Amino acid sequence: MQSASEQPPAPQAPPEHAYPDHWEADVVLRDGGTARIRPITADDADRLVSFYEQVSDESKYYRFFAPYPRLSAKDVHRFTHHDFVDRVGLAATIGGEFIATVRYDRIDARGLPASSPADEAEVAFLVQDAHQGRGVASALLEHIAAVARERDIRRFAAEVLPANTKMIKVFTDAGYTQKRSFEDGSVRLHLDLEPTDRSLAVQRAREQRAEARSVQRLLTPRSVAVVGAGRAPGGVGRTVLRNLLGAGFTGRVYAVNAALTGETELDGVPAHPSVGAIGEPVDLAVVAVPAERVPEAVADCGEHGVRGLVVLSAGYAESGAAGRERQRQLVRQARSYGMRIIGPNAFGIINTADDVRLNASLAPQMPGAGRIGLFTQSGAIGIALLAGLHRRGAGLSSFISAGNRADVSGNDFLQHWYDDPGTDVVLLYLESIGNPRKFTRLARRTAAVKPVVVVKGARHSGSAPPGHRVPVTRIPHATVSALLRQAGVIRVDTVTELVDAGLLLAAQPLPAGPRVAILGNSESLGLLTYDACLTEGLRPLRPLDLTTAAVPADFRDALVAALADETSDAVVVNAIPWVGEDGATEFGDGEVLAAALREAVASAPAPTKPVVVVHVEMGGLAEALAAATSTRPTAAASVRPAATGRAPAAAPPGTGPSGPGASPAAPPSPGASPAAPPSPGPGPAGNVFPPEASPGSVGVAAIPAYPAAERAVRALAEAVRYGQWRRQAADPGRVPEYEDIDEAGAAALIEGVLGAGEVDARGVTLDTEEAGALLARYGITVLPTLPAPGPDAAVAAAARLGYPVALKTTAPHLRHRPDLGGVRLDLATEEQLRTAYAEVTEVLGKPEELQPVVQAMVPRGVDTVVRAAIDPAVGAVLSFGLSGAASELLGDTAHRLVPATDRDAAELVRSLRTAPLLFGWRGSAPVDTPALEELLLRVSRLVDDHPEVVAVSLEPVVVAPRGLSVLGATVRLAPPAPRTDLGPRSLPRY
């Protein structure tokens, strides 16, 4: 794939610039493999010649418009010597060798070589035939376009033969504004390199397909090699080998260990001393060797075509500085071969699909098949979640415990699960978020089609867990949580809540609203449920008490009626054992009641309402409810004859969060009976692994059961809020256009400030006049403030502004602290003003210390605070709260990502706990919330249009029944940080 004939080189080449190492990037290609993109240098002459020799004659003809069998010495020099400004070449490499190249040469209006200020360049590509169709050219175009924009090139020109349809498609599909013409037998293309909404959408769609495919390659291998499977029983590698075989993996399995020079089999599978000795393709390698031997194993895998790695070995970034460097080298080495890594220090991956049945993990028991995708960064938490879901009858589609997640992360699995037909609910346990902007974007898109439930560990530690590379964030955890909820993420606090919510969302429909019907045979339990609903913001109906004399048929009839009742959106069923006069229970261990409830649900015309059950000491009820014929785990696949060892009852020691560092317990000896599900026992919610549904059982989804009303209602409330978000996401609102905004004038003002002298990374705070002028460009008027260094100056200021006035101190320790006596209001005469001035300076200090000012009085209202700030991790954030203790002491502040829509602004105003003060609380006059929402949107536009505006604070903003007044403003400018989410696709740098 290639294009464009080229002009002769410029007679006088400008001097070369320093090597731009920030142009280096690892990218995921269309088929899920990786390649490295980097600038071409003079040291690449031999690589270029070797690369060109592997290109077909047809591709060479498309590139040069004539037969061009080999490159001359002059060509090689020209294509490897660049100044990195007017002449730039990039190469895509795998294993250190070129697979594709792209270059641009700056040209003038006549098409001749030029230098700046010429802003057009001719671009040309060449891709090895063996790598065409992998999306290499598209990735190179994104990166060469970003380089060109950095060098003030605004347009690309390309000349392509009409028969070269692949190259034409690369240009036309990129999404840039373009022009096309036909001249002298070739197609002439002109691309405007300014990113557009379409080019960004194309880029993100390609990113999603590529990253999803890279995960799919890891989850659906046709062959797996366990590197480090020892000869003796025990050990991490041998345990994984047994787990693979015990799960009934449908592909080929190989044992690899350098010590296996004489053996031909291990546990009934072929054994080899190296991956290279296998002699057949290997898709996935599970690496379980000491950290110092991992580089040798990675090289062996990479040189023989392995597509992905699961590295269980510990001793990496979690162990200190030396381990961090070892981890960097591991990622670089694997990516150089086009491989992706799960780990290091990982627990492993599982895919329960019938045509795969992959258990490449240290989990001894293969989970049942289901509709939940589970990602965790902790092996210990992964074990707990697997056990909890297993006991409560929930099946999984896939499971990943990524350890240090040096390469593949939760973002990659969100890309996969977004359009995975086998996954309906996504559960994530995260201890850190490596790319919060991208995570929020992906979570929002995924949440629009399926629930995403997140529990965040290490919330209050103030630092990332050992081994995790994450950007530093200055915003508190509560703000991050609010932003995740804005993206539709269901944010819970504990792994128990994660399982509770996941069970309900996987088995039941979303509620249409907050109205909850409550029925059961315990009045007390009904009242507890009623109170829990009110606590969670739901609207419970009066509980229906069936009395302790109720039998299963009464429950069935009541549930049928509740499901048909249009005044409720969800149903909570409470059940306690009924004890007769002789001490015996009426419906035994709950299976009869479960059958009655399932019959009631099945009788509904369509499953439109979620049903949850709260049970107290009802033996057998929870497991019977969980035995849904539509979601129950399928019977285990047949196990290979050689894989008959029973899986360990627990994960081997040393394979939890610290990785496989300790000496693991030996697995049972060969010849034991096949692994079976653990015997039933009470789980955290009194559930056990569900039995197979009996013949003739009703084919309905499982009904989740909980041992406490609070847990059931909390999960139901999360489903209600998520359902509401889904409905609103269909109409997310719009970013309004305001005709009075002067974007160009604001840009000129900002440029004048930042260009006036040296500005450090922290930026510069505008003075009062500059801040007012900038805000005025966006239709935001700040009430004038006049300095009052003495009583006479205060009187003169009041005469200028007009009485009544306010006298304020602006010293930092007194700013926005009216409780300290530094603010005097409604001063209607000169005498009152002089008296107030004397009192303030007598009590609080000298005028030069207090920095007093005079301001005109405005209509009374509610004092509020509007802020916006750029956080390096999450981007621009718009915040709103009431002024004073409500926001400062109680943390009652709402947040939204910028740019905010009109819906976001309305939600910001209404989401405060103290919001009733704005809407006429206790007989007060409601304030002008439309004016407040407009102010929020204007601030959002300012920060979004000008990334140099890194902080804005409007305090106080007095919102009156009609209109509002901005009494104080602070604006800080700084050179904008690069936007990693808008650049070309790339993996995190190592």
Side-chain angles (χ1 to χ4, degrees), residues 573-915:
V573 178
N574 296 317
I576 63 171
W578 174 61
V579 181
E581 295 180 358
D582 58 355
T585 60
E586 175 67 21
F587 31 89
D589 60 3
E591 293 182 3
V592 179
L593 176 59
L597 296 177
R598 290 164 57 80
E599 181 182 350
V601 173
S603 68
T608 58
K609 292 183 185 180
V611 178
V612 299
V613 173
V614 178
H615 64 97
V616 177
E617 300 301 329
M618 291 289 292
L621 175 62
E623 58 268 29
L625 289 171
T629 58
S630 61
T631 60
R632 72 180 188 275
T634 58
S638 59
V639 181
R640 300 165 185 255
T644 55
R646 182 183 295 274
T655 59
S658 61
S663 300
S669 60
S673 58
S679 58
N687 300 62
V688 297
F689 190 76
E692 290 294 319
S694 59
S697 62
V698 180
V700 297
I703 301 175
Y706 304 86
E710 295 77 11
R711 284 175 56 180
V713 171
R714 191 174 299 122
L716 183 59
E718 294 294 356
V720 168
R721 286 188 282 267
Y722 171 67
Q724 181 182 18
W725 181 90
R726 278 276 292 268
R727 291 187 291 274
Q728 292 177 347
D731 179 19
R734 62 183 185 89
V735 178
E737 296 287 341
Y738 296 107
E739 294 182 357
D740 60 343
I741 286 180
D742 181 8
E743 186 175 344
L749 192 154
I750 292 169
E751 184 178 357
V753 172
L754 294 180
E758 291 292 330
V759 178
D760 63 25
R762 293 173 298 178
V764 57
T765 300
L766 300 184
D767 60 35
T768 302
E769 184 177 347
E770 291 172 329
L774 178 60
L775 292 168
R777 298 291 196 279
Y778 273 72
I780 301 169
T781 301
V782 182
L783 198 69
T785 301
L786 299 180
D792 292 337
V795 171
R800 180 177 171 185
L801 296 173
Y803 289 98
V805 296
L807 177 68
K808 303 179 180 181
T809 58
T810 61
H813 66 288
L814 297 173
R815 185 182 293 270
H816 308 309
R817 292 295 307 277
D819 55 305
L820 297 181
V823 177
R824 301 298 173 91
L825 304 176
D826 286 320
L827 305 175
T829 65
E830 177 180 340
E831 181 181 359
Q832 291 178 356
L833 176 58
R834 289 185 180 275
T835 300
Y837 198 100
E839 291 174 351
V840 168
T841 53
E842 179 181 354
V843 173
L844 298 178
K846 298 178 180 179
E848 53 268 26
E849 298 172 348
L850 303 180
Q851 304 172 27
V853 297
V854 174
Q855 230 176 12
M857 287 296 297
V858 298
R860 292 186 179 275
V862 178
D863 289 2
T864 65
V865 183
V866 175
R867 293 192 177 98
I870 304 286
D871 183 83
V874 300
V877 179
L878 180 67
S879 303
F880 171 72
L882 300 192
S883 183
S887 59
E888 296 175 11
L889 180 62
L890 303 179
D892 188 19
T893 305
H895 311 274
R896 290 295 184 273
L897 289 173
V898 169
T901 66
D902 51 0
R903 182 183 292 277
D904 291 329
E907 291 175 352
L908 264 178
V909 172
R910 289 158 179 79
S911 59
L912 299 177
R913 296 193 297 276
T914 48

Side-chain angles (χ1 to χ4, degrees), residues 16 95 100 111 157 207 222-223 232 274 276 282 302 358 392 427 439 467 541 565 596 786 795 799 838 853 892 990:
E16 292 189 2
E207 173 192 66
R222 292 165 297 181
S223 55
S274 67
V282 174
L358 173 73
R392 298 181 68 177
L427 305 184
F439 176 81
L541 307 182
D565 185 2
L786 299 180
V795 171
V853 297
D892 188 19
Y990 260 92

Side-chain angles (χ1 to χ4, degrees), residues 83 138 154 504 550 618 630 684 693 709 790 867 903 935:
D83 62 11
S138 298
R154 297 292 173 255
L504 188 152
M618 291 289 292
S630 61
R867 293 192 177 98
R903 182 183 292 277
L935 176 66

Side-chain angles (χ1 to χ4, degrees), residues 299-371:
D300 183 25
C301 292
E303 290 168 3
H304 294 92
V306 174
R307 292 184 167 190
L309 303 174
V310 178
V311 180
L312 307 183
S313 311
Y316 287 89
E318 81 283 356
S319 63
R324 284 193 294 273
E325 179 57 31
R326 189 180 297 120
Q327 183 165 301
R328 281 192 290 268
Q329 294 299 328
L330 168 64
V331 175
R332 290 171 181 165
Q333 183 186 16
R335 287 181 179 172
S336 73
Y337 290 109
M339 297 185 294
R340 300 213 68 184
I341 301 175
I342 290 179
N345 193 28
F347 187 74
I349 60 175
I350 295 173
N351 182 358
T352 64
D354 284 340
D355 58 346
V356 180
R357 297 201 57 80
L358 173 73
N359 183 7
S361 79
L362 294 164
Q365 182 68 41
M366 181 74 164
R371 312 289 298 177

Side-chain angles (χ1 to χ4, degrees), residues 418-629:
Y418 165 67
D419 56 7
D420 175 30
T423 301
D424 291 338
V425 179
V426 174
L427 305 184
L428 304 170
Y429 171 78
L430 305 177
E431 293 177 343
S432 62
I433 302 176
N435 188 338
R437 288 191 188 192
K438 183 175 180 180
F439 176 81
T440 302
R441 169 169 58 86
L442 300 185
R444 178 190 289 272
R445 186 189 60 190
T446 305
V449 295
K450 59 188 67 173
V452 177
V453 191
V454 173
V455 60
K456 176 76 165 58
R459 299 195 302 269
H460 306 297
S461 64
S463 61
H468 292 209
R469 296 174 67 251
V470 297
V472 177
T473 179
R474 294 188 294 264
I475 62 178
H477 167 73
T479 304
V480 175
S481 295
L483 299 179
L484 290 179
R485 287 193 177 274
Q486 181 191 359
V489 172
I490 299 171
R491 177 72 176 76
V492 296
D493 292 326
T494 68
V495 293
T496 299
E497 292 176 359
L498 184 74
V499 173
D500 286 347
L503 287 173
L504 188 152
L505 293 163
Q508 295 292 309
L510 288 177
R515 303 169 302 175
V516 181
I518 304 169
L519 61 92
N521 62 345
S522 168
E523 181 180 12
S524 298
L525 192 54
L527 292 175
L528 286 174
T529 305
Y530 185 91
D531 290 343
C533 287
L534 291 176
T535 300
E536 292 294 334
L538 302 179
R539 291 164 51 190
L541 307 182
R542 181 184 181 89
L544 174 62
D545 182 17
L546 302 178
T547 77
T548 55
V551 296
D554 297 324
F555 277 87
R556 180 196 61 210
D557 295 343
L559 181 54
V560 167
L563 291 173
D565 185 2
E566 296 182 355
T567 65
S568 66
D569 304 305
V571 183
V572 178
V573 178
N574 296 317
I576 63 171
W578 174 61
V579 181
E581 295 180 358
D582 58 355
T585 60
E586 175 67 21
F587 31 89
D589 60 3
E591 293 182 3
V592 179
L593 176 59
L597 296 177
R598 290 164 57 80
E599 181 182 350
V601 173
S603 68
T608 58
K609 292 183 185 180
V611 178
V612 299
V613 173
V614 178
H615 64 97
V616 177
E617 300 301 329
M618 291 289 292
L621 175 62
E623 58 268 29
L625 289 171
T629 58

Side-chain angles (χ1 to χ4, degrees), residues 93 171 174 213 226 244 262 294 315 398 526 556 612 694 717 728 761 841 955:
T93 68
F171 287 120
R213 178 58 182 155
V226 180
L244 267 169
V294 169
S398 50
R556 180 196 61 210
V612 299
S694 59
Q728 292 177 347
T841 53
E955 184 179 7

